[in-house]
């Protein structure tokens, strides 16, 4: 494993081409398992983006444009790169298998298979077809600013944990745990939803189990019929199901406290 720095070779990154050996430390190209850094004030790297035969240790982007929309940096799809770190002055477009992706700021467009995505700052856009096991949103106290993340339809998600920032999701999610921040859910089913703080704007998709210990579940928007199989509400929480269309169904409603806003004359099954 070797540390390779972009722009540190004799070519200094002048042609913006990943595959030019002279653009890298020692005038040699990165190989599998190498750590690669795009340092402060580095030139952009936008050429020879198909590096799909390679995987790396850590990719750290301090200040650089890496790739572009439609031509992301392609890295190995089967063997994982360990870490991608995107810092506040970076702009990154990447597609491949990565164990951990952490965004502290800047702009990130992400595709591929990701074990853990940590949006702590910046603007993150996930590409349709991506596969993400866990999203930890806004949970870094050192973030340079609140993260803004967009997950479109067609993304495979397992778990989202949100502590801050703004998240827009349009894909099904198995487990959703929220402690703060704001989230808008526009499509896809939610399996188990736990809310302790912040607001979930629920515009579409059925929820199997919702447990509200704090914060707000706002179902007043959206036009389509939706359902919650089991709803549990506790002191300090608010649920708003008054969308004016009388088409939100709650099968089992367990009330232990909190506030509710319902459509007039709408009846719910209580237990």
């Amino acid at each position: 494993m070797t540390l390779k720095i972009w722009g540190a070779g004799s070519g200094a990154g002048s042609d913006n081409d990943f595959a030019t050996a002279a653009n890298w430390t020692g005038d040699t190209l990165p190989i599998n398992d190498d750590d690669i850094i795009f340092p402060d004030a580095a030139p952009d790297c936008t050429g020879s983006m198909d590096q799909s035969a390679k995987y790396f240790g850590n990719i750290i982007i301090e200040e650089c444009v890496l790739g572009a929309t439609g031509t992301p940096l392609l890295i190995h799809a089967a063997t994982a790169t360990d870490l991608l770190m995107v810092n506040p002055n970076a702009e990154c477009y990447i597609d491949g298998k990565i164990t951990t992706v952490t965004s502290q700021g800047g702009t990130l467009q992400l595709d591929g298979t990701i074990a853990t995505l940590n949006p702590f700052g910046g603007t993150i856009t996930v590409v349709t077809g991506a596969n993400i096991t866990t999203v930890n949103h806004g949970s870094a106290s050192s973030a340079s600013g609140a993260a803004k993340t967009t997950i479109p339809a067609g993304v495979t998600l397992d778990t989202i944990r949100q502590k801050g920032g703004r998240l827009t999701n349009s894909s099904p999610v198995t487990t959703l745990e929220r402690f703060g921040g704001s989230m808008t859910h526009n499509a896809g089913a939610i399996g188990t939803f736990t809310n302790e703080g912040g607001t979930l704007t629920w515009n579409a998709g059925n929820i199997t189990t919702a447990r509200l210990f704090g914060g707000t579940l706002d179902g007043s928007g959206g036009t389509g019929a939706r359902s919650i199989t089991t709803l549990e509400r506790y002191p300090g929480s608010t649920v708003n199901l008054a969308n004016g269309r009388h088409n939100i169904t709650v099968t089992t409603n367990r009330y232990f406290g909190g506030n509710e806003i319902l459509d007039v004359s709408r009846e719910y099954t209580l237990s």
Side-chain angles (χ1 to χ4, degrees), residues 149-219:
T149 301
T150 302
I151 302 174
V155 173
T156 301
L157 289 169
D158 186 2
T159 299
I160 295 176
R161 297 186 181 98
Q162 185 181 16
K163 292 185 177 180
R166 290 183 285 170
L167 172 61
T168 301
N169 179 49
S170 299
S171 288
V173 56
T174 303
T175 302
L176 174 59
E177 300 174 351
R178 300 191 63 262
F179 305 92
S182 63
M183 176 174 172
T184 301
H185 186 79
N186 289 324
I190 300 172
T192 301
F193 166 49
T194 303
N195 207 74
E196 297 193 19
T199 298
L200 173 66
T201 301
W202 175 44
N203 292 329
N206 298 330
I207 302 175
T208 302
T209 302
R211 298 185 178 95
L212 308 180
F213 299 99
T216 300
L217 172 60
D218 184 1

Side-chain angles (χ1 to χ4, degrees), residues 86-154:
V86 180
N87 287 316
N89 294 319
E91 182 178 334
C92 176
Y93 305 80
I94 195 162
D95 181 356
K97 186 173 184 178
I98 309 173
T99 302
T100 302
V101 175
T102 298
S103 172
Q104 298 282 10
T107 301
L108 171 62
Q109 186 180 92
L110 184 64
D111 199 355
T113 301
I114 313 300
T116 302
L117 170 61
N118 300 317
F120 297 154
T123 300
I124 302 93
T125 302
V126 178
V127 176
T128 296
N131 188 316
I132 304 175
T133 303
T134 301
V135 178
N136 297 310
H137 202 278
S139 56
S141 59
S142 61
S144 61
K148 294 177 285 187
T149 301
T150 302
I151 302 174

